[in-house]
Amino acid sequence: MLIRGVLMHHLVKDLLAGNRRAAARLITLIENDDEEKRSLLKEIYPHTGKAFIIGITGAPGAGKSSLVDRLLQQIRAEGLTAGIIAVDPTSPFSGGAILGDRIRMQDHALDAGVFIRSMGTRGSLGGLSRSTREAIQVLDAFGKDIVIVETVGVGQSEVDIVKTADSTVVILTPAGGDSVQTIKAGIMEIADVFVINKADLPGAERTATEINMMLDMNGEKPWRPPVLPTVSIKGDGVDKLWEALQEHRTFLEDSGKLLDVRRQRVRRELTEQVEYLVKTRIWDEVRDTIELDSLVEKISKRQQDPYSAAGELLAKINFYKGDHGEGG
Amino acid sequence: MDVKAKKIRVLVAKPGLDGHDRGARVVARALRDAGMEVIYTGLHQTPEQVAETALQEDVDVVGLSILSGAHMTLAPKIRHLLNEKDMKDVLFLVGGIIPEEDAEKLIAAGTADQIFTPGDPLDKIIDYINAKFASAE
Ligand SMILES: Nc1nc2c(ncn2[C@@H]2O[C@H](COP(=O)(O)OP(=O)(O)OP(=O)(O)O)[C@@H](O)[C@H]2O)c(=O)[nH]1
Ligand SMILES: [Mg+2]
């Protein structure tokens, strides 16, 4: 199929050859739930698993994008390449979004070693977009050494990002009233590195001290998250942050934790895929063979209960009917 | 809201030297409220930055806001770069203080698909984009 001058079945080959247009098109197709999505992802998967994934989270306006911009300078100076996925909220009312994280990163727009993609959450509540994980896979297969994900920074962003990233950076600010009492529950547990950004503003040291105290109360842990002050608009402290991220990566690798984390991720992916397939299979069958409407009627009239009806329904389904249109 | 629906992605870009982006921001918000995903990149973008951003973000629409009077050089340059990147079918809109004869030239030359000026109601832009994608589907 020809989409905008790009042959669909060449897309993955082009991606692997380093074609930026192919990377961009693939992310769109995946994000739009194109019918080819799963077969494209199948083709991409064998080429993933090489990139190191860094998550950046923190309240709106904490300085996530400006910090990513500065981190990019460090990463590029080391001769590494990077892919960025910057997530902004989709309006629940209009379904539209303003994706503005790029504003702070445009100095890297023409760098062939950097690929930046903005995504709207599109109904996902966890601080990432519905397709962030797949977009990471695209950039991973594309050959980027580091993939950075900037979360939305509201809601439960922390929940999703830890499952997705190898290292998670939590950004706090002195001005944000992010003193210990107001820190969102769960934040202390998810950070591999704490950043106190806007350290040029008063109160930064106090915030850092408070976080350090809380971390020390947690007792001995194999990894003690460092608490680092930065001024991301000037770049101060970003070298220390990059060092800390590398130390964390070394810790993950040496302790075998990286394999653990990634194995857990694979387990989750597999479970999700099995559930997806089972669900699709069931509803295909139900649509084809079983009178759902008549069951609804019966249950509504209290001639049957939904519990036994569901059991009967499942008993009629043949799960072993050959391949389920999942060829790639 | 249908989360599965394909969204129209629009790059709102401010190329060149003029330092006002209030208009661009108003347009960006209106397009968001019309259900589109709007990538906004801030002031002082070079034509190369605009074209490369359009590529990486895989947008359906590029909308330039130009108040500096440099539209006759900036718009063709960006169109050319987009074409070079195989993005010939991107809908290309130019907004700003653009005299009618320039607007006619830009459209006749195949540079811009449509021109909007500050007097145009926001709905006109939204309707124009929506109509283009409704018929393309
Ligand atoms: N004083 C000071 N201001 C900063 C610093 N870092 C960022 N800012 C300002 O904070 C604002 C938000 O910065 P961004 O980098 O866009 O923050 P963000 O967390 O990405 O914001 P969202 O993506 O909208 O949640 C901007 O106006 C920056 O100029 C800093 O270190 N010091
Ligand atoms: Mg941001």
Side-chain angles (χ1 to χ4, degrees), chain A residues 65-301:
Chain A
S65 302
S66 7
L67 202 69
V68 171
D69 173 56
R70 294 296 178 156
L71 266 180
L72 277 173
Q73 288 178 359
Q74 290 277 329
I75 290 167
R76 296 296 291 139
E78 308 258 331
L80 298 171
T81 59
I84 313 296
I85 294 161
V87 187
D88 269 316
T90 294
S91 156
F93 304 107
S94 68
I98 292 184
L99 312 176
D101 291 322
R102 261 196 104 101
I103 298 177
R104 319 250 172 239
M105 310 176 193
Q106 278 302 79
D107 283 353
H108 303 280
L110 297 179
D111 180 348
V114 173
F115 187 98
I116 304 172
R117 180 61 176 243
S118 316
M119 300 178 92
T121 50
R122 298 199 185 180
S124 155
L125 297 176
L128 302 182
S129 72
R130 285 191 313 130
S131 313
T132 301
R133 208 177 49 207
E134 286 95 344
I136 292 172
Q137 289 179 353
V138 172
L139 295 180
D140 186 351
F142 193 34
K144 295 298 177 222
D145 300 310
I146 311 279
V147 175
I148 304 181
V149 180
E150 176 183 340
T151 76
V152 164
V154 283
Q156 316 155 324
S157 42
E158 46 285 350
V159 191
D160 276 4
I161 192 63
V162 272
K163 287 191 208 152
T164 309
D166 298 318
S167 295
T168 301
V169 178
V170 170
I171 305 189
L172 304 169
T173 57
D178 288 319
S179 80
V180 175
Q181 292 81 355
T182 58
I183 286 175
K184 270 194 287 188
I187 277 281
M188 294 307 288
E189 290 74 22
I190 65 138
D192 299 308
V193 178
F194 279 99
V195 162
I196 313 294
N197 189 40
K198 309 199 184 182
D200 52 324
L201 302 179
E205 260 173 61
R206 203 198 67 214
T207 310
T209 311
E210 288 177 339
I211 300 290
N212 273 317
M213 276 168 56
M214 282 181 74
L215 289 169
D216 289 336
M217 285 191 303
N218 280 349
E220 287 283 304
K221 291 271 167 65
W223 172 260
R224 180 3 173 125
V227 181
L228 307 170
T230 61
V231 183
S232 62
I233 41 173
K234 290 201 215 122
D236 299 354
V238 178
D239 50 344
K240 294 273 184 326
L241 169 60
W242 177 239
E243 261 171 44
L245 283 166
Q246 281 170 304
E247 275 166 32
H248 185 241
R249 180 179 187 166
T250 308
F251 160 78
L252 288 175
E253 283 167 355
D254 293 353
S255 63
K257 263 206 94 185
L258 189 60
L259 283 177
D260 268 5
V261 170
R262 293 193 169 183
R263 217 175 276 125
Q264 280 172 31
R265 205 175 296 151
V266 167
R267 182 181 295 273
R268 226 165 13 235
E269 279 166 9
L270 179 61
T271 321
E272 278 173 24
Q273 288 313 311
V274 170
E275 284 171 2
Y276 170 83
L277 285 186
V278 168
K279 236 195 212 153
T280 330
R281 163 74 57 98
I282 289 175
W283 291 116
D284 282 357
E285 288 274 325
V286 168
R287 225 172 285 121
D288 288 352
T289 57
I290 299 162
E291 289 279 291
L292 200 61
D293 288 345
S294 67
L295 275 178
V296 169
E297 254 339 277
K298 271 192 185 169
I299 298 169
S300 306
K301 290 182 185 146

Side-chain angles (χ1 to χ4, degrees), chain A residues 4 20-21 24-25 28 31-33 90-100 102-103 106-107 109-111 114-120 122-123 130, chain B residues 1 3-7 9 25 28-29 32-42 45-46 48-49 52-53 55-60 85-87 89:
Chain A
R4 287 201 192 146
R20 294 200 303 284
R21 181 107 175 94
R25 287 301 302 146
T28 305
E31 208 180 14
N32 288 341
D33 261 342
T90 294
S91 156
F93 304 107
S94 68
I98 292 184
L99 312 176
R102 261 196 104 101
I103 298 177
Q106 278 302 79
D107 283 353
L110 297 179
D111 180 348
V114 173
F115 187 98
I116 304 172
R117 180 61 176 243
S118 316
M119 300 178 92
R122 298 199 185 180
R130 285 191 313 130
Chain B
M1 171 184 113
V3 289
K4 290 215 166 180
K6 178 188 177 334
K7 305 239 182 269
R9 285 170 68 87
R25 283 173 188 273
R29 234 168 300 156
R32 184 227 16 224
D33 293 342
M36 301 175 199
E37 280 185 356
V38 184
I39 292 98
Y40 182 63
T41 50
Q45 300 292 296
T46 65
E48 287 78 9
Q49 281 177 315
E52 181 60 28
T53 301
L55 179 142
Q56 291 182 12
E57 298 289 353
D58 195 24
V59 293
D60 308 289
K85 289 178 191 287
D86 259 346
M87 297 190 71
D89 53 2

